[in-house]
Amino acid sequence: MFSSLLKRTTFLNKLNKSSGFNRNYFKQSTLTRSDALSRHVETEDNNEHTPFDFTQENLVKVEKILAKYPKQYRQSALIPLLDLAQRQNGGWISLRAMDKVAHICGIAPMTAYEVASFYTMFNRTKIGENFVQVCTTTPCMLRGSGEIIKTCKSHLGIQVGETTPDNKFTLVEVECLGACVNAPMMCINDDFYEDLTPASTINLLDQIKNNKPTKIGPQTHRKAAEGPQGKTTLLEPPVGPTCRDDL
């Protein structure tokens, strides 16, 4: 079966070349270790001897987070505490930070490692000051996210997965961020920037690089998720039904 498939794809490739097309119907993926995303890689600033502890200010936040859960379910605070540790640590979470959170939650360190390696919101290697996440899922792709990625790479002088020499930006591609109606879009740290064009993308990156305020949300005239023609319905204040006076 594989032999017949190979013959067919080889034939199609030859047919394409003779017709002036360059499409390849038969490709082989790059060999990648199955544990490449989950295994820990020790570095000078991320190993079992790298110190980590919450600041006094964040220890107060730790207690507030733990207070939301019954004492016998302290492990329920794992994800918010990992997020707090990551924010304190400059946008990434170290091995010792995960150990600290596991100790606070009263769970095995491996449980914290499993959660941190499963959710893409956690970065287990250093990132730049501004974490640029460009959505390339279907709606954004159809609306031009490929050009946004190209613009970011060209303007920042880095490839996807790299950090600029001044440590200002790290660029990555991500899956859907839930703003499809405002595609194409990207998330930088905690802020969404939507309805992007190559020009508006360059403008945003320059503003952030120069520590200038940015316009969060749509980079066009529209407000939130209104259609491109503006608001066309519900133009008057809603009337009734009203609540009773005693409520």
Side-chain angles (χ1 to χ4, degrees), residues 30-229:
T30 304
L31 182 63
T32 305
R33 290 174 57 94
S34 61
D35 61 350
L37 295 177
S38 60
R39 62 192 174 96
H40 169 68
V41 178
E42 289 211 351
T43 61
E44 291 184 0
D45 48 20
N46 189 12
N47 56 68
E48 60 182 348
H49 303 295
T50 306
F52 176 87
D53 201 355
F54 284 109
T55 63
Q56 289 300 315
E57 180 183 358
N58 280 340
L59 282 174
V60 174
K61 294 180 180 179
V62 167
E63 293 303 319
K64 288 183 178 179
I65 292 172
L66 290 174
K68 297 178 181 179
Y69 308 98
K71 290 184 178 181
Q72 66 270 32
Y73 297 117
R74 291 170 68 91
Q75 67 270 26
S76 300
L78 177 56
I79 288 180
L81 290 182
L82 285 173
D83 179 66
L84 182 63
Q86 177 167 273
R87 291 175 184 276
Q88 177 180 308
N89 207 42
W92 69 287
I93 189 163
S94 65
L95 182 69
R96 294 299 291 155
M98 290 186 280
D99 290 343
K100 180 67 176 182
V101 171
H103 176 73
I104 291 174
C105 291
I107 58 177
M110 181 54 69
T111 304
Y113 305 160
E114 290 171 345
V115 171
S117 62
F118 178 82
Y119 291 103
T120 57
M121 65 183 282
F122 296 117
N123 303 304
R124 291 178 298 107
T125 56
K126 274 190 172 182
I127 62 171
E129 182 181 334
N130 298 285
F131 192 40
V132 182
Q133 305 169 74
V134 181
C135 177
T136 56
T137 309
T138 307
C140 280
M141 179 190 70
L142 294 173
R143 294 284 295 164
S145 64
E147 288 301 314
I148 305 304
I149 279 284
K150 288 180 181 178
T151 300
C152 289
K153 292 194 294 186
S154 174
H155 194 64
L156 297 176
I158 56 176
Q159 298 298 312
V160 173
E162 295 181 347
T163 300
T164 54
D166 60 2
N167 203 45
K168 271 281 188 179
F169 297 93
T170 295
L171 175 65
V172 296
E173 289 186 38
V174 294
E175 297 303 315
C176 186
L177 291 171
C180 307
V181 72
N182 296 81
M185 61 83 62
M186 64 183 177
C187 176
I188 302 181
N189 296 335
D190 290 330
D191 299 322
F192 277 19
Y193 298 96
E194 306 154 344
D195 295 327
L196 295 171
T197 64
S200 62
T201 299
I202 291 174
N203 183 53
L204 279 170
L205 295 175
D206 284 343
Q207 288 176 328
I208 293 171
K209 182 178 181 179
N210 296 314
N211 299 316
K212 294 183 178 179
T214 59
K215 177 188 176 185
I216 298 171
Q219 299 303 297
T220 60
H221 64 281
R222 71 168 170 166
K223 179 181 179 182
E226 287 181 353
Q229 304 303 319

